[in-house]
Amino acid sequence: TQSTNTADKSVKSADNASTDQKKTYIVGIDGEYPPYSFIDKNGTAQGFDVESIQWIGNKLGFNVKIQPIAWDGIIPALNAKKIDMVYSGMTITDERKQQVNFSKPYYKVNQSVAVHNDSTLTLDDFKAGKGKIGAQRGTTGAFWVEENLVNKSVIQADQLVTYDNFPLAATDLQNKRIDFAIYDRPPMLDAIADKPLHLVGEIDTGEEYGVAIRKDDTELLNTINKGLDLLHESPDWAALKKKYKME
Ligand code: ARG
């Protein structure tokens, strides 16, 4: 698999390479994760999560620098202090909690499964392991397949094909190199929108997104939790959801 063209590159952000005394926090994102975090054609970071942290920074008086990082290495980058937080649709899981702290949850999602429009495969076929499954490496979608299909010998390990980012999986599904793709529902809808692909169903994982922060950085954890409270109480929260067509 290739790596993303935006990974590990600095990007322009709407705010501020500032000369003031404010703190600057570096926010790690996957730059290929619309509608939560993505780099537009001008090289500017956009998305629901990007605008959320910019809002919180404005409200609480800190600067935000958006830093795209390859998803699979994003927690190591956080713990190596290359970034100060991960704010990019990261599901709060017990495994990740051993490595990082999470803010309070800010969004709920399920996994969804897509196929080619020419395909007659169903969600039951997916669960029965009838074909190759694409997922982004290091995501809860890939973990679900490992736990429920690979480890239970429903599929062979090589039937799970992992990618550095999800658009690569969507392209392989379009080209019929794989039979299914699994991903969080909102970014899945975005990825299939302009392709001959459709959803066959959802897996009710009931995941919650949180902002990941280094374990020793309790000051930042408190700041983000306070910022999330303020954002959620504000009319801007509904406006943001509407802008990015979130449920
Ligand atoms: N919510 C899933 C997870 O935490 C998928 C996240 C993918 N996020 C991203 N920015 N690529 O594993």
Side-chain angles (χ1 to χ4, degrees), residues 20 27 34 58 60 68 72 85-86 127-128 134 146 228 245 247:
D20 56 42
V27 179
N58 280 336
L60 298 183
D72 198 29
M85 69 187 93
V86 179
K127 290 182 179 164
E146 278 162 11
L228 285 170
K245 302 189 178 65
E247 286 129 21

Side-chain angles (χ1 to χ4, degrees), residues 28-34 36-37 49 69-72 74 86-93 96 102 109-111 136-143 164-167 183-184 187 207-210:
I29 61 158
D30 175 346
E32 316 245 11
Y33 197 61
Y36 296 95
S37 61
D49 286 355
I69 305 257
W71 178 255
D72 198 29
I74 207 162
V86 179
Y87 202 145
S88 193
M90 182 172 273
T91 301
I92 301 169
T93 68
R96 287 172 178 157
F102 280 100
V109 301
N110 286 327
Q111 293 298 306
Q136 184 181 19
R137 187 174 308 113
T139 60
T140 46
F143 301 152
D164 285 345
N165 61 57
F166 192 76
Y183 211 30
D184 302 39
E207 293 167 52
E208 294 187 309
Y209 287 174

Side-chain angles (χ1 to χ4, degrees), residues 4-12 39 43 65-70:
T4 73
N5 52 6
T6 52
D8 301 321
K9 266 186 240 155
S10 242
V11 289
K12 287 177 254 167
I39 309 303
K65 182 175 179 291
I66 304 293
Q67 178 67 56
I69 305 257

Side-chain angles (χ1 to χ4, degrees), residues 56 87 103-104 106 211 224-232:
I56 292 170
Y87 202 145
S103 71
K104 51 183 60 179
Y106 66 87
V211 184
I224 295 300
N225 278 332
K226 185 173 159 202
L228 285 170
D229 281 344
L230 293 171
L231 176 56
H232 296 165

